[in-house]
């Protein structure tokens, strides 16, 4: 009886190739969706974009008015090996949005929130290395 391909033992070369492919996929993944946020107090609007570096394409993900912001909440980000924070913004309409910028500290998350709220033109661009290691 002939042995099936999935019952055969993997060679060391095949295991190394599989591991290399997985590592490369993990390293390229942030290039498909880097977050950007641009806020203008004079226009009373914040726009959140998703930037795909490989396809050179930017897509509007969400938009909100700065005057609709009621409060914010900073929590520990799940699924990370290091202490990192998520920033959730709550609106007067009881809706909320969690920003994709995972920061390493509560002070940086507070700085992002108050930058959105108080700066005339606040911009935060996604960065490949910061997306990979969660360090905005």
């Amino acid at each position: 009886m002939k042995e099936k391909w999935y019952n055969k033992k993997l060679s060391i070369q095949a295991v190394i190739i599989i591991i290399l492919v997985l590592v490369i996929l993990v390293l390229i993944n942030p290039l498909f969706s880097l977050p950007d946020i641009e806020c203008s107090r004079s226009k009373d609007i914040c726009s959140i974009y998703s930037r795909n570096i490989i396809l050179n394409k930017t897509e509007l993900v969400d938009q909100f008015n700065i005057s609709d912001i009621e409060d914010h909440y900073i929590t520990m980000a799940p699924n990370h090996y290091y202490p990192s924070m998520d920033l959730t913004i709550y609106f007067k309409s009881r809706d909320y949005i969690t920003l994709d910028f995972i920061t390493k500290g509560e002070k940086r998350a507070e700085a992002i929130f108050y930058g959105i709220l108080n700066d005339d033109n606040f911009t935060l661009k996604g960065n490949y290395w910061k997306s990979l290691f969660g360090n905005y």
Side-chain angles (χ1 to χ4, degrees):
M1 191 161 144
K2 192 171 184 182
E3 193 174 5
K4 301 280 186 186
W5 67 270
Y6 49 82
N7 287 336
K8 292 181 183 178
K9 288 187 177 183
L10 287 175
S11 68
I12 292 177
Q13 183 182 7
V15 171
I16 291 172
I17 290 173
I18 290 169
I19 290 171
L20 282 175
V21 167
L22 290 175
V23 166
I24 289 170
L25 288 175
V26 166
L27 291 176
I28 349 181
N29 188 36
L31 295 176
F32 288 108
S33 178
L34 287 175
D36 292 342
I37 187 166
E38 295 175 1
C39 300
S40 172
R41 256 183 64 205
S42 61
K43 295 178 184 175
D44 187 38
I45 197 155
C46 271
S47 302
I48 300 172
Y49 299 98
S50 175
R51 191 167 29 110
N52 185 327
I53 292 178
I54 293 175
L55 299 176
N56 197 19
K57 181 178 159 186
T58 302
E59 175 183 327
L60 180 66
V61 175
D62 206 351
Q63 225 170 16
F64 59 89
N65 292 334
I66 298 171
S67 60
D68 290 342
I69 295 175
E70 185 174 47
D71 200 7
H72 72 291
Y73 193 64
I74 299 170
T75 57
M76 293 292 288
N79 304 326
H80 288 278
Y81 299 112
Y82 45 82
S84 43
M85 306 291 172
D86 272 341
L87 174 61
T88 304
I89 298 175
Y90 291 93
F91 302 106
K92 294 174 184 171
S93 64
R94 307 263 187 243
D95 288 334
Y96 66 91
I97 186 169
T98 301
L99 299 181
D100 285 337
F101 296 97
I102 298 171
T103 64
K104 278 224 172 177
E106 192 171 341
K107 287 182 182 179
R108 180 61 182 142
E110 289 280 342
I112 291 172
F113 175 73
Y114 287 112
I116 291 170
L117 214 52
N118 299 326
D119 289 357
D120 289 332
N121 289 313
F122 179 79
T123 302
L124 186 59
K125 297 282 185 187
N127 179 307
Y128 170 73
W129 297 108
K130 291 179 180 180
S131 286
L132 196 59
F133 297 113
N135 192 11
Y136 283 96

